């Protein structure tokens, strides 16, 4: 995997600013797209193709900002470093984590800009820029069920696949108490007037001190999984395997659970609770790694970055608010935050429809959003580095 790191030297009076974006992408099921997934073409005012949002547009914007600073020979108080990395979608072992292990001086920085936030628009006008200051931790858990095997002409109620299916139904019905952090509380408070009346009412309920209202708000968020993922640990089955032939009962069946844990959660405790849920079903749960990794810290909620961002957002979108955000996914930020770098996540303004295409089909980045994100980045870098 290739990792590119470029640096514009400053006068050294302030520590470096890192612009971080990953170049790798997830796969694409070409037959389910309405256009070639890797076309990279421009149609109907949007760049289309896998990675156009996650995360090549951010990489392109960062590269353009760097090139402009170099072309104009802008005097800088700090180095501005652009890192275009590999392997983020697979955990970063060959990308940011490799660089931190083998070439840590390349990523040494005080501040970093990265993906992970959300920019909310109403009627084409940006109303709120939510900055990712924390993210959920990533954990893969393998569920394994075993059976006797045998000829499939005789049904077996202890078939390994049936055991596994019962386990998945159990986990789908497993309910845990919602946890509203300081970050999520501010996010929901800021979105009350931007979302639908029904969802705004759910936010109000969830943020109240009334237990019944909190439960009602939590139930409403189950219908909006994106926001629900901000208040629960989540688990999603993603890949399954079993059997050796069509006419043989499988003697073993496995499924991967992709788990995302809220900041402050213990992966070991979660796995213990998961095992307790499955104890009577004869299904094992194991995690290959990640149980002992520390939860990345929440970023400072004041300081030079926030002053610079508010100034840049006000210039581009007068009246828009800057709020906190918890990322329900995981990014390369966690590895850098664990090393003491202050990493803040941004995103270019997308409609809910375009947001839903990330890791899905027909991914596209509107040119208007790319333009906005590039100008915001340019203004922010100028304020932080000059």
């Amino acid at each position: 995997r290739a990792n590119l790191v470029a640096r514009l030297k400053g006068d050294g009076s302030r520590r470096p600013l890192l612009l971080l974006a990953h170049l790798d992408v997830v796969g694409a099921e070409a037959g389910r797209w309405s256009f070639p997934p890797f076309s990279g073409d421009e149609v109907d005012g949007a760049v289309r193709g896998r990675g156009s949002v996650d995360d090549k547009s951010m990489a392109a914007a960062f590269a353009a900002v760097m090139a402009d600073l170099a072309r104009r020979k802008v005097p800088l108080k700090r180095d501005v470093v652009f890192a275009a990395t590999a392997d983020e979608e697979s955990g970063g072992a060959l990308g940011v984590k490799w660089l931190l292990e083998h070439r840590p001086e390349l990523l040494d920085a005080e501040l970093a800009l990265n993906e992970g936030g959300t920019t909310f628009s109403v009627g084409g006008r940006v109303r709120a820029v939510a900055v990712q200051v924390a993210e959920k931790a990533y954990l893969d858990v393998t569920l394994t069920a075993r059976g006797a095997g045998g000829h499939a002409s005789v049904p077996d109620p202890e078939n390994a696949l049936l055991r596994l299916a019962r386990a998945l139904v159990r986990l789908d019905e497993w309910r845990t108490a919602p946890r509203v952090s300081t970050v999520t509380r501010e996010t929901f408070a800021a979105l009350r007037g931007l979302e639908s009346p029904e969802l705004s009412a759910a936010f109000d309920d969830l943020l109240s001190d009334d237990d019944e209202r909190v439960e009602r708000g939590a139930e409403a968020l189950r219908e909006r999984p994106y926001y629900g993922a901000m208040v629960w640990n989540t688990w999603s089955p993603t890949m399954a395997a079993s059997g050796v032939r069509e006419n043989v009962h499988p003697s073993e069946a496995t499924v991967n659970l992709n788990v995302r844990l809220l900041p402050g959660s213990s992966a070991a405790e979660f796995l213990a609770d998961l095992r307790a849920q499955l104890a009577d079903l004869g299904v094992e749960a194991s995690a290959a790694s990640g149980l002992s990794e520390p939860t990345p810290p929440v970023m400072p909620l004041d300081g030079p970055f926030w002053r610079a961002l508010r100034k840049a957002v006000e210039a581009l979108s007068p009246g828009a608010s800057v709020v906190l955000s918890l990322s329900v996914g995981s990014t390369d930020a966690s590895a850098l935050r664990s090393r003491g770098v202050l990493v803040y996540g941004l995103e270019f303004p997308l409609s809910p429809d375009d947001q839903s295409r990330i890791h899905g089909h027909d991914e596209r980045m509107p040119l208007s959003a790319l333009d906005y994100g590039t100008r915001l980045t340019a203004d922010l870098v100028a304020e932080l580095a000059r």
Side-chain angles (χ1 to χ4, degrees), residues 280-354:
D280 63 322
L281 298 178
V283 174
E284 301 170 7
S286 60
S289 62
L291 291 180
S292 60
E293 294 181 9
T295 303
V298 177
M299 294 294 92
L301 307 182
D302 57 17
F305 166 79
W306 294 100
R307 292 191 291 272
L309 181 62
R310 289 189 178 97
K311 180 177 179 180
V313 170
E314 181 62 25
L316 288 174
S317 305
S321 57
V322 174
V323 300
L324 310 181
S325 174
L326 164 69
S327 177
V328 299
S330 55
T331 71
D332 280 332
S334 58
L336 287 165
R337 286 170 176 160
S338 297
R339 297 291 189 99
V341 181
L342 305 182
V343 188
Y344 295 98
L346 303 173
E347 183 181 76
F348 302 165
L350 298 174
S351 68
D353 180 53
D354 286 327

Side-chain angles (χ1 to χ4, degrees), residues 215-233:
E215 181 60 30
R216 185 173 66 200
E219 282 302 312
L221 288 195
R222 293 189 191 282
E223 304 301 318
R224 295 292 296 266
Y226 174 76
Y227 290 121
M230 293 185 182
V231 298
W232 282 289
N233 293 328

Side-chain angles (χ1 to χ4, degrees), residues 208-265:
S208 74
D209 296 324
D210 185 309
D211 290 343
E212 289 188 9
R213 290 187 62 191
V214 170
E215 181 60 30
R216 185 173 66 200
E219 282 302 312
L221 288 195
R222 293 189 191 282
E223 304 301 318
R224 295 292 296 266
Y226 174 76
Y227 290 121
M230 293 185 182
V231 298
W232 282 289
N233 293 328
T234 61
W235 47 92
S236 298
T238 55
M239 301 177 70
S242 70
V244 293
R245 287 192 60 145
E246 291 84 352
N247 60 350
V248 178
H249 288 300
S251 59
E252 182 175 289
T254 63
V255 66
N256 183 79
L257 283 187
N258 187 245
V259 177
R260 305 302 174 108
L261 300 173
L262 292 166
S265 298

Side-chain angles (χ1 to χ4, degrees), residues 23-365:
L23 297 181
D24 64 311
V25 300
V26 296
E29 299 173 290
R32 295 180 178 273
W33 288 55
S34 63
F35 53 85
F38 296 98
S39 60
D41 58 12
E42 181 184 321
V43 176
D44 296 331
V47 177
R48 308 189 307 173
R50 172 59 83 224
S52 54
V53 175
D54 187 12
D55 186 31
K56 294 181 184 292
S57 283
M58 184 162 280
F62 287 172
V65 169
M66 287 283 284
D68 180 63
L69 291 172
R71 187 183 305 113
R72 295 190 291 117
K73 296 182 171 57
V74 175
L76 303 171
K77 292 184 178 179
R78 61 170 107 220
D79 293 1
V80 179
V81 181
F82 171 45
T85 60
D87 210 38
E88 189 271 349
E89 298 291 3
S90 299
L94 301 177
V96 165
K97 292 179 181 177
W98 189 94
L99 289 169
L100 288 173
E101 180 180 355
H102 297 279
R103 296 294 304 276
E105 75 281 1
L106 294 179
L107 300 185
D108 179 56
E110 176 186 6
L111 290 167
L113 306 182
N114 186 39
E115 63 175 340
T118 307
T119 298
F120 295 90
S121 300
V122 176
R125 185 166 70 91
V126 170
R127 297 285 302 277
V129 175
V131 181
Q132 190 240 59
V133 296
E135 62 183 42
K136 298 178 81 171
Y138 182 109
L139 181 70
D140 280 316
V141 174
T142 300
L143 302 185
T144 304
R146 294 181 174 86
H151 204 293
S153 63
V154 180
D156 179 5
E158 298 306 317
N159 179 307
L161 269 176
L162 289 175
R163 285 179 178 268
L164 202 55
R166 295 182 195 116
L168 292 176
V169 170
R170 173 78 59 82
L171 294 180
D172 187 50
E173 296 172 347
W174 182 23
R175 296 290 183 260
T176 58
R179 288 168 43 201
V180 183
S181 67
T182 300
V183 172
T184 305
R185 182 173 294 277
E186 179 173 319
T187 302
F188 288 170
L191 296 181
R192 277 183 285 198
L194 299 180
E195 285 287 4
S196 67
E198 295 78 14
L199 191 53
S200 295
F203 292 153
D204 283 334
D205 286 339
L206 196 63
L207 298 179
S208 74
D209 296 324
D210 185 309
D211 290 343
E212 289 188 9
R213 290 187 62 191
V214 170
E215 181 60 30
R216 185 173 66 200
E219 282 302 312
L221 288 195
R222 293 189 191 282
E223 304 301 318
R224 295 292 296 266
Y226 174 76
Y227 290 121
M230 293 185 182
V231 298
W232 282 289
N233 293 328
T234 61
W235 47 92
S236 298
T238 55
M239 301 177 70
S242 70
V244 293
R245 287 192 60 145
E246 291 84 352
N247 60 350
V248 178
H249 288 300
S251 59
E252 182 175 289
T254 63
V255 66
N256 183 79
L257 283 187
N258 187 245
V259 177
R260 305 302 174 108
L261 300 173
L262 292 166
S265 298
S266 163
E269 289 179 7
F270 174 84
L271 186 59
D273 291 342
L274 181 69
R275 286 169 173 161
Q277 289 292 317
L278 305 177
D280 63 322
L281 298 178
V283 174
E284 301 170 7
S286 60
S289 62
L291 291 180
S292 60
E293 294 181 9
T295 303
V298 177
M299 294 294 92
L301 307 182
D302 57 17
F305 166 79
W306 294 100
R307 292 191 291 272
L309 181 62
R310 289 189 178 97
K311 180 177 179 180
V313 170
E314 181 62 25
L316 288 174
S317 305
S321 57
V322 174
V323 300
L324 310 181
S325 174
L326 164 69
S327 177
V328 299
S330 55
T331 71
D332 280 332
S334 58
L336 287 165
R337 286 170 176 160
S338 297
R339 297 291 189 99
V341 181
L342 305 182
V343 188
Y344 295 98
L346 303 173
E347 183 181 76
F348 302 165
L350 298 174
S351 68
D353 180 53
D354 286 327
Q355 185 84 34
S356 70
R357 298 170 191 259
I358 300 173
H359 284 208
H361 307 137
D362 290 352
E363 186 177 352
R364 62 195 291 276
M365 168 61 74

